[in-house]
Amino acid sequence: MNFSQPTPHVARRLSLTTLPLGILPIAFVLGLFVQGLFVQGLFVQGLFVQSVGAAEFHLVEETVRGAWIGEADGALHILTDEGKKRTFERNDLLWIDWSVEVPKKHAKRVIRERERFLEERRKIARKLIQSLERSGVEERPSLIAKFDGFDEAQSLHAFSGGLDSRAEHVRELSFGRLATFQSEAAVVPFIRVYLKSSDPAYAARALEQAKQMDPDLTRRIFEFVSMSAPMPYRVKSVETLGALGDRAALPSLVRVLHSVGIDIRATVARTKSIDEVPVNLGGITQAAQNVTIDLPQLELIEINSSLRVPVEALRRLEAVTSQALHTLSGESHGTNVGAWAKMVREAAQAAQAAQAEKAEKSEKAVAAPKKQGD
């Protein structure tokens, strides 16, 4: 039997790297701190349904031309060239020819149908999680078995929410299932748990899982959070970047140090502004009753997220960033952004020179046997 698996062709690998650079930090922060999930539908609308692939589905008794919509519980859902919805069992499918194009008149509808289908599946998955939270021990096996009919895109949000469940069996199920996912999006919920959980052991376990799944992506997410989140999460992300030991984080840490330095200078500049405030001291004479005193403005500053951050918090971020830079580089430049930037630049130049030298030696090694043969 010549069977072609349709899902990988259509359900593209959910990827953080394909998101616009300006959207990812905002989306991530919103997902972490507003919804508790990655932005609802962002992956679906931006990635999962971008491709409007069509195919020729060769079944046991017929051949159907149409566009892939989705799969659920062993049933394949398509939109035919005639614009009709069709469902058939996977067991009836012999093979698929993906070279067929979708009629232009149906292209937009295909995307809408995929979004609608996926959202419906996600709602069912979330309801299953809720049912599992309320279930007794005897009911759980049958409920858990139902998740086998969901793919990663359909169940990711449900399991992400399940990581925060009060029910331990739901947390453990969600943790275990997400750990098996291949999509990059599955890393995000573990980092959210690490940043927000009040249970140190659970947080540490989540971080280890994220690192195991994709250490490079884990580092990059912490880099984004260190620039684009409420202050406690920025501080924790910077500290984590230092602990991860990946020197690739050095440029991002220098940017954090530069940014927080600007914020601190702006704050200090504001504290130099003095307000004259009349105060009634309750004295006998009119002059004694109304005395003008100098009152410095409170040390607060507004940043991009519209949060108001006390200068002490900014100093804390500056300190941990400097420490993380020292930990990763072994050098000590304090809060001197220029010195750190020079170090990073020189390290990059040295790495490029070493790579060029290695390539040159490799070329010479390949060329040497040829000359001997001549």
Side-chain angles (χ1 to χ4, degrees):
M1 179 181 292
N2 182 9
F3 180 77
S4 175
Q5 166 65 269
T7 305
H9 181 88
V10 179
R12 302 173 58 188
R13 189 169 188 233
L14 304 182
S15 172
L16 293 174
T17 57
T18 57
L19 286 171
L21 292 179
I23 293 178
L24 180 55
I26 298 171
F28 184 79
V29 173
L30 286 175
L32 281 177
F33 308 114
V34 178
Q35 297 178 358
L37 296 172
F38 209 40
V39 172
Q40 192 86 343
L42 179 62
F43 286 124
V44 177
Q45 297 171 2
L47 300 170
F48 183 76
V49 294
Q50 277 185 350
S51 174
V52 189
E56 197 169 66
F57 299 86
H58 294 260
L59 309 177
V60 174
E61 297 182 353
E62 62 177 320
T63 297
V64 181
R65 292 167 65 98
W68 173 271
I69 298 301
E71 180 178 359
D73 301 317
L76 308 182
H77 298 253
I78 69 170
L79 185 70
T80 67
D81 279 2
E82 293 78 25
K84 297 180 179 180
K85 295 181 182 180
R86 283 284 305 271
T87 302
F88 50 84
E89 295 298 317
R90 172 174 282 281
N91 292 337
D92 293 335
L93 180 65
L94 298 177
W95 62 286
I96 300 174
D97 177 4
W98 290 103
S99 63
V100 179
E101 294 185 2
V102 173
K104 292 184 178 179
K105 62 180 180 180
H106 295 320
K108 291 183 178 180
R109 184 184 173 191
V110 168
I111 293 178
R112 290 197 302 270
E113 292 294 342
R114 286 182 187 167
E115 291 176 344
R116 186 179 297 113
F117 179 84
L118 187 54
E119 181 56 30
E120 289 175 356
R121 295 295 294 169
R122 286 164 58 188
K123 287 180 179 178
I124 296 173
R126 289 194 293 269
K127 288 181 179 179
L128 270 177
I129 287 289
Q130 294 170 359
S131 298
L132 191 60
E133 287 177 322
R134 299 189 298 266
S135 67
V137 176
E138 295 181 356
E139 304 172 77
R140 291 171 191 172
S142 60
L143 289 172
I144 292 173
K146 292 182 180 181
F147 283 108
D148 295 337
F150 294 79
D151 62 26
E152 292 187 15
Q154 296 168 1
S155 60
L156 186 146
H157 286 110
F159 288 134
S160 177
L163 290 177
D164 302 320
S165 174
R166 294 182 179 180
E168 183 178 2
H169 64 280
V170 174
R171 290 198 306 272
E172 290 303 312
L173 172 70
S174 300
F175 199 108
R177 290 297 180 97
L178 286 171
T180 66
F181 282 13
Q182 299 300 309
S183 64
E184 292 179 345
V187 176
V188 176
F190 290 112
I191 295 179
R192 172 178 55 79
V193 168
Y194 168 71
L195 290 173
K196 300 188 70 177
S197 177
S198 58
D199 182 344
Y202 189 45
R205 183 180 165 205
L207 176 60
E208 287 303 313
Q209 184 60 52
K211 288 160 54 180
Q212 181 179 331
M213 293 173 72
D214 195 328
D216 182 66
L217 177 61
T218 297
R219 171 186 56 77
R220 288 187 286 123
I221 292 176
F222 282 124
E223 289 175 355
F224 283 125
V225 177
S226 69
M227 290 290 293
S228 309
M231 188 57 67
Y233 303 108
R234 295 181 70 185
V235 170
K236 190 171 184 178
S237 294
V238 167
E239 291 175 329
T240 305
L241 286 171
L244 290 176
D246 189 346
R247 288 177 59 89
L250 286 171
S252 292
L253 289 172
V254 173
R255 285 194 290 271
V256 173
L257 191 64
H258 174 66
S259 173
V260 73
I262 292 175
D263 290 343
I264 289 174
R265 287 193 296 273
T267 303
V268 172
R270 285 185 59 182
T271 62
K272 292 179 180 178
S273 175
I274 303 297
D275 290 339
E276 292 186 345
V277 181
V279 178
N280 191 322
L281 300 179
I284 299 176
T285 67
Q286 181 67 24
Q289 288 179 356
N290 295 289
V291 178
T292 299
I293 63 173
D294 294 337
L295 185 66
Q297 292 184 1
L298 185 62
E299 289 186 326
L300 293 175
I301 179 173
E302 292 191 18
I303 57 176
N304 293 339
S305 60
S306 77
L307 299 172
R308 295 180 66 82
V309 182
V311 71
E312 290 80 6
L314 294 169
R315 294 284 189 196
R316 168 66 176 159
L317 179 59
E318 183 182 51
V320 298
T321 305
S322 176
Q323 180 58 45
L325 285 164
H326 170 68
T327 301
L328 293 179
S329 68
E331 299 187 20
S332 298
H333 300 294
T335 58
N336 189 332
V337 176
W340 285 117
K342 180 181 178 183
M343 181 273 294
V344 170
R345 183 170 57 253
E346 290 177 348
Q349 292 171 348
Q352 291 174 354
Q355 186 176 7
E357 183 180 357
K358 183 179 180 180
E360 184 179 355
K361 289 181 178 179
S362 178
E363 291 177 1
K364 289 181 178 179
V366 172
K370 292 182 179 180
K371 292 182 178 180
Q372 294 176 1
D374 294 340

